[in-house]
Amino acid sequence: MLLTRGRRRQVDTATHFCPNPDCAYRGWAGWGNLRANGHPNGGPWRQLLCVACRRYFLETLGTILHGKHASVDLIVRVIACLAEGLGIRATARVFEVDPNTVLQWLVEAAEQLQAFARHGLHDVRVKQVQLDELFALLSAVKAGTVSAAEAIARLERSPQWVWGAMDPESKLLLAVDVGDRTLAMTQCFIHHVAQVLAPDCAPLFLTDGFREYLTALLTHYGQWVQPARRQAQGPLPKPRWMPLPQLLYAQMVKTVRRRRLVRVRHRVVFGTLEAINAVLAPHGWHINTAFVERINLSIR
Ligand SMILES: [Zn+2]
């Protein structure tokens, strides 16, 4: 839509879109159908008008700030405080806010940040990925599964596994997930990593000796292969699920006795040792998972 009359618009509305489900412009940004309409009741947020469907909405619609009486400054500080590692109750005491409110803001912020991460982190091309899991006392709050009071109590501490995936070259953290140490969780985690990576990107994977990684990697980085006929006659052999030819995967198996590291062994699972060393050699590295372990210590 091009502006044909009136004075030039001062407010850029190109990053917003019309939320009306019946509007043809719904979900489309930058088509010139939105007009800024001032601040209703002298509030901090602008009202926007869609000239296609004549609906009004606030510019905060769909964000954590929508419909909140608390100031933006307070909400941002509370979330920053939680991000720094202060507990829910402690944060509530510092800012003199109800702990249930703090929990509500945390849950809303988490949803926004997840969407933001998906928007910004995709089609990543890396040569290596280090995977690791660490045991930590963490939150286990999912909407609806626990009451708010229970959630606040449990957020203080509950044992969980933190799964981390990282590119050691750029130190980019590709995925962080929380869950059990099971095959199902390994599949979820590898799925998350595969979604962040570009579809044709099959990097070198380095993990510890946890055996479920093999199944999960083979699931996501495999293909059906039709074996050749052994005889000229008879039915074709059944297709087999095989790792992609470019898939490289090595494990670091650590032996610990009386809390002391006594031995580290390398195990090449997919690919050849030469191919793996060719990826690592430009950096003067050997097979190791030291970088992601360092990150995990930071998370802890
Ligand atoms: Zn509209």
Side-chain angles (χ1 to χ4, degrees):
M1 281 191 185
L2 287 171
L3 183 72
T4 51
R5 58 196 170 82
R7 69 182 162 83
R8 270 194 63 135
R9 302 288 159 172
Q10 304 287 314
V11 182
D12 179 23
T13 58
T15 55
H16 293 271
F17 63 81
C18 176
N20 175 12
D22 300 324
C23 178
Y25 284 77
R26 187 208 180 187
W28 294 95
W31 284 85
N33 58 314
L34 299 179
R35 302 276 183 268
N37 197 41
H39 300 251
N41 307 321
W45 303 114
R46 279 199 180 88
Q47 192 183 45
L48 301 177
L49 162 70
C50 173
V51 289
C53 66
R54 308 304 299 179
R55 287 282 189 93
Y56 294 91
F57 60 96
L58 279 179
E59 60 180 338
T60 50
L61 188 68
T63 74
I64 179 177
L65 303 171
H66 189 68
K68 296 274 194 301
H69 294 295
S71 73
V72 177
D73 194 57
L74 177 65
I75 296 174
V76 169
R77 279 170 191 277
V78 162
I79 290 166
C81 211
L82 293 170
E84 288 291 337
L86 203 60
I88 292 201
R89 287 210 174 102
T91 307
R93 282 193 294 274
V94 169
F95 293 97
E96 298 179 352
V97 187
D98 188 89
N100 291 303
T101 310
V102 176
L103 175 66
Q104 183 60 33
W105 292 350
L106 173 63
V107 170
E108 288 176 32
E111 279 173 12
Q112 294 281 340
L113 291 168
Q114 214 165 28
F116 178 75
R118 263 188 242 122
H119 174 74
L121 200 63
H122 56 84
D123 289 293
V124 178
R125 283 174 201 282
V126 294
K127 293 203 181 78
Q128 308 178 37
V129 175
Q130 294 191 351
L131 308 167
D132 196 23
E133 47 328 313
L134 90 154
F135 191 68
L137 293 167
L138 268 189
S139 64
V141 178
K142 271 188 191 144
T145 55
V146 280
S147 72
E150 206 185 324
I152 293 167
R154 278 172 66 179
L155 268 169
E156 302 302 317
R157 54 161 174 230
S158 76
Q160 293 278 311
W161 289 91
V162 180
W163 298 71
M166 169 190 176
D167 166 31
E169 289 179 25
S170 63
K171 310 286 187 286
L172 176 66
L173 206 49
L174 297 165
V176 179
D177 281 331
V178 175
D180 317 319
R181 197 165 183 258
T182 57
L183 173 61
M185 186 58 214
T186 318
Q187 291 277 22
C188 278
F189 181 57
I190 298 295
H191 191 73
H192 188 177
V193 174
Q195 278 185 322
V196 169
L197 297 179
D200 58 337
C201 176
L204 161 63
F205 287 96
L206 295 166
T207 73
D208 57 17
F210 185 50
R211 60 195 206 103
E212 313 290 16
Y213 278 123
L214 192 154
T215 318
L217 282 171
L218 187 58
T219 311
H220 287 83
Y221 293 94
Q223 62 186 4
W224 289 109
V225 173
Q226 179 68 58
R229 277 170 190 269
R230 295 240 181 96
Q231 298 121 0
Q233 302 281 315
L236 277 172
K238 278 187 183 160
R240 294 179 62 192
W241 186 259
M242 304 281 286
L244 292 173
Q246 69 268 34
L247 179 64
L248 300 175
Y249 172 39
Q251 288 182 339
M252 291 269 301
V253 186
K254 291 178 181 172
T255 314
V256 180
R257 267 197 211 110
R258 291 189 190 128
R259 294 190 185 173
R260 286 174 71 182
L261 190 63
V262 291
R263 192 170 55 151
V264 179
R265 275 182 306 146
H266 306 145
R267 186 190 298 154
V268 175
V269 183
F270 297 126
T272 62
L273 187 58
E274 291 75 46
I276 288 170
N277 281 335
V279 176
L280 295 170
H283 305 276
W285 293 342
H286 303 287
I287 296 172
N288 76 78
T289 52
F291 294 105
V292 74
E293 286 170 24
R294 176 61 252 171
I295 286 274
N296 275 345
L297 291 177
S298 306
I299 293 171
R300 193 190 291 272

